[in-house]
Amino acid sequence: MDRREKEPRKITVLLVDDHPMVQGGLMACLEYYDDIDVVGLCSDGEDALAKVKSLTPKVILMDVSMPRMNGIDATEIITEQFPKSNVLIFSMHDSSEFVHSAIQAGACGYVLKDTSSEEVYEAIKAVAKGNNYFSSTIAKMLIETPLKREHDKLTTREQVILSYVAQGFSSKEIAKKLDISFRTVDAHRRNIKTKLNIESLADLVRYAINHGLIKQESSD
Amino acid sequence: MTSFIIYYLVTSQYRELSDMNVQTLESFLIAQKEQELKNYTSIALSSVEHMYKLAKQTGQPNQPNQPNKTHQAAVADIFENMLYNADDGYFFIYDNKGVAIVHPKEPNRVGESWWELEGENGDKIIQILIENAHAGGGFYRYKWYKPSEKFKADKLGYSVYSEEWEWMLGTGVYLDDVYAQLDNLHQEIDNHINYTKQIILIVALSSIFFIFLFGIAMNLNHKKKAEEKISELGQRVIDVQEEENRHISRELHDGIIQTLISIKYSLEATALFLLKNKQDKPAPLIQAEESLGFVIQEVRRISHHMHPQILDELGLSSAIESLAIDFSKQSDVQINVTKPILRKLLPDFINTTLYRVVQESLTNIKKHAKANHVLIDIAIQDSWLTLTIKDDGLGFDINAISQKDNHGIGLRNLAERVEHHSGKFNIISSEQGTEITVNIPISSFTKHFHHTTKKSELK
């Protein structure tokens, strides 16, 4: 607390990367920027969820390919549960699909790992202010293949919630199971209905069955 | 081969048995004839007994035992007319000197001596008959004219001696009837043998045929099983290969590239350090950073080529979308992808297989099809996941590619691979274009979703 009062303008950053050497290299660079404070390091999405809760970082520098829970899925849950933390994806993947998925999951920015540390710094600053930031190659790609709303996919989180809905759980029960608020579940349900253009519960259940989200034999 | 040996053995055995039967039957028939002759003779003799008694009573006193000529003539007359078996059964009488006394069928012989008459083999026929008669009655086979046929035939003669008249009385039966009967029997047995032969042959051939069929069926079954095993093995090799590629790709991406990235940032940190100390970046450092950037790109390219990470991270839809984007960048072909709203439903092996199908199809289209439009459609409905890749290119002969290995092998292997994962693979090709369809039953990935869902709930 003392530290934060002394340097109130510092941006708190959580590094999420499964490779300690990358973390080390990036840390070495970021140390030269006075307004950056790396408050934590973690090595996968699940670890990140726990750390975000306790450290409440302003910016989360999130890798994508990680064991246990990948960065996209983690981003989805973080933006759902900790809306004050902004996620900046920091990845080797430069395919538009990754970028689209990251944006859908709620990431504010996307920088490639082979961009310079200076650019990473700029990105962190932008995202901390609540702006979006994309590496130049990523930005170029987004212009070439813009996000197609009509082809929106259900996110992993939405698939899980749809599966529970189809199995007959109420929003309250789902909220308890996933440790999120009742209203968040309802928001997800609305999003699912909008995305699928489905109104009735019966149609949702049918959709879930048809798409293999629940087993047809309900014994298990 | 065996059947013919069996056939030969059985028929020869059968023949032997039948020959034995015929012989038994022949001796039986002969014995019957002999008995008949004996009977006829005794009937004949008893029929003239009264004449002997009469002769004795009216005989001359000086020769009480000698029957007189009148009686002899009367008896001869009786025998002359005593016929049986149509015309062939008759009695003949010779005296001790071989002079014929009665011979109803050859009256010219009567009164002359036939003592020296020889048969074909040199036997003195009349002498033997008289000898047999003296010995108490006996049988003798010889050749004699058969009255009804007018030629010489085998005759079984029986002769007895009559003390009263001092005659040899004989009769006989012609054996050609017996032979005809035996021939008939032989014929019948032969027919029977032939019939049996045919049955044996049919049975043998049909059993061989069935054994042959059974063998072929077994063989085919074995072959089919062997082929299934080979195919199974082939699929496992591919699985292992894909897994290995994935592993190496991941090692490159998550290991080496990450290390290179960390080196890159260390170099940058060095530059920042120098900057802080008001020093310029030395040329070797700039050089190192550039080379490093190049190496990172290279390793990424290799890693991606071996296995696209996007497949594991974001699932099939995204991976195919990204393939399509790369494809349209490299060629003038317009490509549209429709895909489901869901992601991460499929287990890795289906992901990889479907990804490879799209990859291979796009490669074929680029190389050969000269298409303007390509449509890729992924849809889930009616418990099937359906992947369709459709182009408006030149099309190709599906049969030709299954023989031509250079570019057909890929699709054929993929078809096998799809079927290995309980899916269906279908190609329709014409001059209007080609359509490749892959169907995967939902049941093969429903469990997977639940498995991954449970995993991602762990917090």
Side-chain angles (χ1 to χ4, degrees):
Chain A
M1 282 302 250
D2 290 345
R3 206 170 155 216
R4 237 173 246 179
E5 274 168 21
K6 271 185 209 163
E7 302 167 87
R9 282 164 55 233
K10 275 205 171 184
I11 301 166
T12 50
V13 176
L14 175 69
L15 289 187
V16 187
D17 197 306
D18 60 323
H19 211 288
M21 283 178 78
V22 174
Q23 287 183 340
L26 189 62
M27 286 265 287
C29 294
L30 292 179
E31 272 172 8
Y32 289 94
Y33 300 98
D34 295 334
D35 49 351
I36 301 286
D37 182 13
V38 178
V39 293
L41 303 169
C42 44
S43 57
D44 65 65
E46 286 176 19
D47 196 10
L49 290 181
K51 288 259 169 70
V52 170
K53 202 172 183 179
S54 60
L55 298 173
T56 60
K58 189 67 201 163
V59 175
I60 300 156
L61 209 56
M62 178 80 82
D63 189 14
V64 170
S65 298
M66 287 180 296
R68 297 213 288 173
M69 185 188 286
N70 74 29
I72 306 271
D73 290 350
T75 300
E76 223 178 304
I77 297 171
I78 287 168
T79 51
E80 170 193 275
Q81 293 183 353
F82 313 103
K84 281 180 184 163
S85 295
N86 295 331
V87 177
L88 173 63
I89 300 292
F90 181 59
S91 168
M92 269 320 289
H93 297 294
D94 59 355
S95 152
S96 63
E97 288 297 304
F98 277 99
V99 182
H100 290 169
S101 299
I103 293 169
Q104 270 176 355
C108 295
Y110 199 117
V111 285
L112 293 172
K113 279 188 178 176
D114 58 355
T115 51
S116 68
S117 59
E118 201 179 340
E119 194 178 340
V120 176
Y121 166 68
E122 292 301 330
I124 291 172
K125 280 208 298 187
V127 168
K129 282 182 207 154
N131 296 332
N132 291 328
Y133 187 94
F134 300 100
S135 291
S136 59
T137 45
I138 302 294
K140 195 176 156 221
M141 182 198 302
L142 279 174
I143 291 162
E144 276 171 4
T145 53
L147 221 59
K148 286 175 274 182
R149 274 291 151 199
E150 71 270 29
H151 282 154
D152 263 2
K153 294 174 287 190
L154 290 192
T155 62
T156 308
R157 196 63 163 174
E158 285 163 349
Q159 288 181 45
V160 171
I161 286 165
L162 176 55
S163 169
Y164 280 133
V165 170
Q167 285 170 57
F169 291 105
S170 70
S171 293
K172 229 180 194 170
E173 285 167 321
I174 297 168
K176 210 175 166 190
K177 269 177 173 288
L178 298 179
D179 195 19
I180 51 178
S181 77
F182 170 81
R183 287 165 70 196
T184 313
V185 176
D186 263 2
H188 279 304
R189 288 182 72 148
R190 267 199 311 280
N191 281 344
I192 294 167
K193 283 180 178 173
T194 315
K195 280 185 180 179
L196 301 183
N197 198 19
I198 286 175
E199 265 309 310
S200 74
L201 182 64
D203 285 339
L204 273 184
V205 172
R206 184 157 55 237
Y207 182 90
I209 291 170
N210 285 343
H211 288 72
L213 288 180
I214 60 170
K215 280 182 241 173
Q216 287 178 26
E217 325 75 34
S218 52
S219 58
D220 187 0
Chain B
M1 185 63 196
T2 12
S3 79
F4 282 101
I5 292 171
I6 292 170
Y7 172 71
Y8 175 76
L9 284 177
V10 167
T11 50
S12 72
Q13 280 290 315
Y14 203 92
R15 159 79 66 180
E16 221 167 86
L17 205 68
S18 78
D19 282 351
M20 273 164 63
N21 269 340
V22 169
Q23 270 169 20
T24 319
L25 192 74
E26 188 179 353
S27 46
F28 172 73
L29 282 175
I30 299 291
Q32 209 182 20
K33 290 289 173 196
E34 286 174 350
Q35 193 57 46
E36 248 175 67
L37 290 177
K38 274 185 177 173
N39 291 345
Y40 289 141
T41 311
S42 77
I43 291 167
L45 284 176
S46 59
S47 71
V48 295
E49 210 166 326
H50 68 283
M51 294 296 292
Y52 176 68
K53 282 178 189 161
L54 198 70
K56 258 178 137 178
Q57 283 161 19
T58 58
Q60 285 134 358
N62 55 337
Q63 288 174 296
N65 288 326
Q66 287 296 311
N68 70 23
K69 295 279 177 198
T70 343
H71 289 114
Q72 275 192 335
V75 170
D77 208 38
I78 289 173
F79 279 117
E80 193 82 52
N81 292 309
M82 203 178 274
L83 298 174
Y84 60 94
N85 269 1
D87 281 347
D88 294 335
Y90 61 91
F91 291 93
F92 48 84
I93 297 173
Y94 290 82
D95 68 10
N96 283 327
K97 303 273 179 333
V99 177
I101 294 169
V102 171
H103 211 301
K105 293 299 165 186
E106 291 167 73
N108 53 322
R109 289 188 187 273
V110 175
E112 286 181 44
S113 167
W114 300 93
W115 185 253
E116 295 296 329
L117 183 70
E118 286 185 6
E120 278 170 3
N121 51 0
D123 288 349
K124 311 260 189 216
I125 296 170
I126 303 301
Q127 288 179 30
I128 292 170
L129 286 170
I130 292 172
E131 242 171 68
N132 282 349
H134 278 295
F139 295 95
Y140 169 53
R141 262 193 225 202
Y142 57 99
K143 282 196 185 295
W144 200 266
Y145 288 101
K146 186 176 182 186
S148 64
E149 309 274 355
K150 311 267 191 280
F151 63 80
K152 277 187 173 181
D154 276 343
K155 185 169 184 171
L156 178 67
Y158 179 63
S159 51
V160 290
Y161 189 70
S162 161
E163 299 287 345
E164 293 90 343
W165 309 101
E166 297 176 335
W167 288 345
M168 180 272 287
L169 172 69
T171 187
V173 67
Y174 290 90
L175 291 172
D176 51 353
D177 290 342
V178 173
Y179 294 155
Q181 224 174 328
L182 287 174
D183 271 355
N184 254 348
L185 197 72
H186 244 297
Q187 191 65 45
E188 229 163 83
I189 288 173
D190 276 354
N191 287 345
H192 205 75
I193 287 176
N194 279 338
Y195 182 67
T196 314
K197 272 183 192 173
Q198 280 168 13
I199 286 182
I200 288 174
L201 203 65
I202 288 168
V203 167
L205 286 180
S206 53
S207 25
I208 284 171
F209 182 67
F210 279 116
I211 289 168
F212 182 66
L213 272 189
F214 185 69
I216 284 180
M218 286 281 283
N219 199 15
L220 282 182
N221 197 28
H222 263 283
K223 203 174 164 192
K224 203 180 152 202
K225 273 187 183 160
E227 271 169 9
E228 273 169 11
K229 266 189 189 166
I230 288 171
S231 158
E232 176 84 26
L233 209 66
Q235 291 308 322
R236 273 181 57 193
V237 168
I238 293 172
D239 282 345
V240 168
Q241 211 171 37
E242 283 284 7
E243 196 43 53
E244 191 62 29
N245 278 353
R246 211 161 101 131
H247 179 72
I248 295 173
S249 162
R250 195 160 262 285
E251 285 293 308
L252 289 176
H253 193 272
D254 293 355
I256 293 181
I257 290 179
Q258 305 300 322
T259 310
L260 293 175
I261 297 280
S262 76
I263 295 170
K264 176 187 143 63
Y265 284 117
S266 297
L267 292 180
E268 279 191 26
T270 310
L272 286 170
F273 173 77
L274 293 172
L275 191 70
K276 203 179 177 186
N277 293 324
K278 311 267 193 270
Q279 283 183 29
D280 284 342
K281 258 192 199 178
L285 184 60
I286 297 168
Q287 176 70 38
E289 278 183 338
E290 276 174 9
S291 303
L292 194 59
F294 176 73
V295 168
I296 290 171
Q297 287 307 322
E298 266 306 283
V299 179
R300 282 187 64 195
R301 195 182 54 75
I302 295 167
S303 163
H304 183 78
H305 181 74
M306 294 189 85
H307 183 86
Q309 293 289 317
I310 187 169
L311 206 50
D312 302 341
E313 301 292 346
L314 299 179
L316 183 67
S317 302
S318 303
I320 286 175
E321 180 80 45
S322 128
L323 259 186
I325 289 167
D326 288 348
F327 181 79
S328 58
K329 273 183 196 160
Q330 289 162 19
S331 64
D332 296 333
V333 184
Q334 197 189 329
I335 184 161
N336 288 322
V337 181
T338 6
K339 55 197 180 179
I341 299 167
L342 299 169
R343 70 171 213 233
K344 285 193 145 184
L345 267 181
L346 305 171
D348 295 336
F349 63 89
I350 291 178
N351 262 347
T352 313
T353 304
L354 295 182
Y355 182 84
R356 295 290 183 218
V357 170
V358 174
Q359 204 174 29
E360 179 72 18
S361 306
L362 290 181
T363 309
N364 281 347
I365 290 168
K366 195 156 74 184
K367 275 192 197 157
H368 310 283
K370 298 204 172 91
N372 293 318
H373 294 92
V374 178
L375 278 176
I376 300 176
D377 183 64
I378 309 167
I380 299 182
Q381 46 179 240
D382 303 332
S383 17
W384 289 91
L385 169 85
T386 309
L387 166 70
T388 315
I389 303 138
K390 201 172 170 181
D391 71 63
D392 58 353
L394 302 171
F396 56 88
D397 185 359
I398 297 163
N399 296 325
I401 66 146
S402 49
Q403 279 146 18
K404 231 162 65 178
D405 276 352
N406 50 2
H407 76 278
I409 193 84
L411 279 181
R412 199 168 38 168
N413 275 352
L414 285 167
E416 264 180 37
R417 211 163 153 63
V418 168
E419 280 152 17
H420 177 66
H421 295 311
S422 59
K424 293 182 198 163
F425 189 96
N426 203 22
I427 305 181
I428 305 166
S429 192
S430 70
E431 285 166 11
Q432 275 78 51
T434 303
E435 185 174 339
I436 294 173
T437 318
V438 177
N439 290 295
I440 306 276
I442 278 190
S443 55
S444 65
F445 55 80
T446 307
K447 260 192 184 143
H448 172 80
F449 175 76
H450 284 262
H451 185 63
T452 47
T453 305
K454 289 212 175 94
K455 251 188 8 193
S456 70
E457 275 169 28
L458 292 169
K459 275 198 280 183

